[in-house]
Amino acid sequence: MMQENSEILSANLSHLDNQGQAQMVDVSGKTSTVRQAVAAARVRMLSETFAAIQAGNSPKGDVLATARIAGIMAAKHTASLIPLCHPLPLQKIEVQVTPDPQLPGYQIQATVRTKAETGVEMEALTAVSVAALTLYDMAKALEKSIQIESIRLVSKTGGKSGDYQT
């Protein structure tokens, strides 16, 4: 019965083999197409912390540039961080860190593009996650209660499953 259940389950889940074990999906038979994903996150902080970062008064240096570069680097290393992700040739990685005085804090958005057999949602999500974590790391001397919120996929295009937009 256990064998039968795992076979039924694995038939519906691409990351499980016939024995129910995790596997990397074989994408060798898929067509290489242009695929893009956009992900976002928010980083909320006290008004005083936000003002200090905006004024360039962080003890660790340029918080926003460091977070942006960290996000770009993270997207390139997604396959090393997420066990079943494919290493992909990324043609575009853009990370934007935008001040939002209403939070107060920052909106982070990453756009990742490739021409490959599988999508780049995980690369975009990894980029915003690591950019947000880096922003926290760079600003934690100013405030320990900074909150990372709402990491999410905003959109994706290309691939067999079609387009997605929130």
Side-chain angles (χ1 to χ4, degrees):
M1 185 67 160
M2 183 67 119
Q3 174 74 22
E4 188 177 302
N5 286 341
S6 67
E7 286 177 12
I8 291 169
L9 188 60
S10 65
N12 296 320
L13 301 174
S14 62
H15 283 80
L16 296 179
D17 66 14
N18 289 336
Q19 288 75 44
Q21 301 295 311
Q23 69 174 355
M24 189 174 196
V25 175
D26 181 359
V27 296
S28 62
K30 293 174 90 177
T31 303
S32 182
T33 61
V34 174
R35 298 154 188 265
Q36 178 173 293
V38 177
R42 287 191 299 255
V43 181
R44 187 183 304 269
M45 60 196 61
L46 297 173
S47 297
E48 297 80 16
T49 306
F50 178 72
I53 293 170
Q54 284 298 102
N57 293 331
S58 174
K60 288 191 173 185
D62 191 338
V63 172
L64 305 181
T66 305
R68 195 173 52 73
I69 295 298
I72 291 168
M73 291 176 63
K76 295 194 286 186
H77 290 282
T78 300
S80 298
L81 299 168
I82 310 293
L84 301 179
C85 283
H86 294 82
L88 296 173
L90 303 179
Q91 277 78 38
K92 176 184 180 177
I93 306 167
E94 181 181 348
V95 177
Q96 298 172 324
V97 182
T98 307
D100 184 345
Q102 300 305 310
L103 276 175
Y106 294 88
Q107 301 284 346
I108 301 173
Q109 183 171 299
T111 302
V112 181
R113 186 177 303 137
T114 189
K115 184 174 183 186
E117 297 80 13
T118 190
V120 287
E121 296 93 343
M122 294 308 299
E123 287 73 10
L125 287 162
T126 300
V128 297
S129 298
V130 171
L133 288 167
T134 301
L135 198 154
Y136 179 91
D137 181 53
M138 294 292 290
K140 69 185 177 193
L142 299 169
E143 177 188 348
K144 303 271 189 276
S145 62
I146 294 169
Q147 298 173 36
I148 297 170
E149 304 174 343
S150 191
I151 297 170
R152 65 206 177 278
L153 181 66
V154 174
S155 66
K156 77 134 201 117
T157 58
K160 184 175 79 171
S161 66
D163 296 350
Y164 168 82
Q165 180 87 34
T166 57

